[in-house]
Amino acid sequence: MSVLGIDQITYTTDDLATSGRFFADWGLHLLGEDAQGLRFECLNGCRVDVAAMDRPGLPAAIEDGPTLREVVWGVESEADLERYARAIANDPGFFDGEVEGARRIGCTDPNGLAVRLQVTRKRDVNVASAVMNTWSSRERVNQPAPVYDRATPIEVGHVVFFVADVKAVEAFYESRFGFVSSDRYPGRGAFMRCAPSGGHHDLFLLQLPSGKRGINHVAFTVRDIHEVFGGGLHFSRCGWETQLGPGRHPVSSAYFWYFKNPAGGLIEYYADEDQLTADWQPRDFEPGPTVFAEWAVDGGLDGNTRRQKNAEGPKGAFLTEKK
């Protein structure tokens, strides 16, 4: 029994029109809209709910303004839901009810975030991805690598939160849902994955000296590094502002591009993260710019000329921190 990954996230925004245009440009499919919100879908059925700030029934926010209100994690079966329900029955905010025609259970994590689980709605998808030629392995023969005019995200791959007590939140996800720690910034940050075998992290927790709580960013998985670039250039041409990228994380090996999100925090295209098993031993890192990114373009690339925008160099231990 293990959590399978993120099934849905819910944002709240004070500008539905701008947020709707933002997520459409990002590459999500619009499922429906009304005066209270918009519902988008990734390629594999992972959903992004964008709600008006005053929509009834929303969980409490962990920070002021537009932000992420809840994360819904997918499980394999009703039997899994029953077991997890027993594990969290005594936690604050315990919930067990029907939402959108399906059973959901959940509670509130130690950081104040609404956590939900449901039998997954995600579907398997078969997408063509780039084959990389290296010096020792040349698999792409008589075939050019793909060029993407824009990105079409496959799923929400991970979420990152500022937390007041990283040890308490890490222990909660480990004890209640079986999450596994991948790497850490001791006393400052924890990378966690849903199961022993999987991508480097599904959840990343960051503790700042200020004790700030809130969303740092949501990351969307794309096929390969070429889609990171193609998606980022398209999004930049649409007029949306880069926070940092393109670049590469040494800790997870993933390529990234971050943009500012009118629905709260930052948003990321990423690809090619490390795949881990139960044999992996978590590592400890000291936060710093070169640990976060071995290379990164501050301010992004111009969407038309492909030249770097005029920008100062990256500063600070956590380069994606939004003041």
Side-chain angles (χ1 to χ4, degrees), residues 149-282:
D149 293 329
R150 61 178 300 167
T152 308
I154 297 170
E155 67 177 358
V156 176
H158 63 258
V159 289
V160 180
F161 291 98
F162 295 117
V163 300
D165 186 340
V166 66
K167 289 184 178 179
V169 183
E170 182 182 12
F172 169 84
Y173 282 93
E174 180 180 1
S175 63
R176 303 306 194 275
F177 305 123
F179 281 32
V180 179
S181 295
S182 298
D183 290 311
R184 296 184 180 91
Y185 299 123
R188 296 290 305 279
F191 297 89
M192 306 191 77
R193 59 193 191 275
C194 294
S197 293
H200 183 270
H201 60 281
D202 303 283
L203 176 66
F204 181 30
L205 309 169
L206 280 172
Q207 181 178 326
L208 301 177
S210 65
K212 171 182 177 178
R213 296 186 305 156
I215 182 67
N216 175 270
H217 73 268
V218 173
F220 287 75
T221 312
V222 295
R223 295 165 180 78
D224 50 49
I225 184 175
H226 307 298
E227 193 171 15
V228 172
F229 274 93
L233 288 169
H234 166 80
F235 207 57
S236 180
R237 285 193 296 269
C238 289
W240 304 107
E241 185 178 354
T242 291
Q243 196 274 347
L244 189 72
R248 180 180 180 269
H249 295 303
V251 174
S252 67
S253 301
Y255 299 99
F256 66 79
W257 197 329
Y258 294 93
F259 289 84
K260 297 179 180 180
N261 184 353
L266 304 171
I267 195 168
E268 176 191 12
Y269 290 130
Y270 81 102
D272 195 21
E273 70 174 329
D274 294 329
Q275 296 294 305
L276 308 180
T277 71
D279 294 329
W280 178 259
Q281 295 299 309

Side-chain angles (χ1 to χ4, degrees), residues 57-81:
L58 288 168
I62 59 175
E63 61 181 333
D64 293 334
T67 190
L68 200 66
R69 289 292 187 99
E70 69 176 0
V71 178
V72 182
W73 300 88
V75 300
E76 187 173 355
S77 68
E78 284 288 340
D80 289 340
L81 277 186

Side-chain angles (χ1 to χ4, degrees), residues 30 48 51 55 61 103 109 112 141 143 157 175 182 266 281:
L30 181 64
V48 176
R55 189 172 82 183
R103 183 188 179 193
D109 76 11
V141 178
Q143 178 185 358
S175 63
S182 298
L266 304 171
Q281 295 299 309

Side-chain angles (χ1 to χ4, degrees), residues 1-4 74-81 84 118-120:
M1 180 184 74
S2 63
V3 175
L4 302 175
V75 300
E76 187 173 355
S77 68
E78 284 288 340
D80 289 340
L81 277 186
Y84 285 121
Q118 67 183 18
V119 175
T120 185

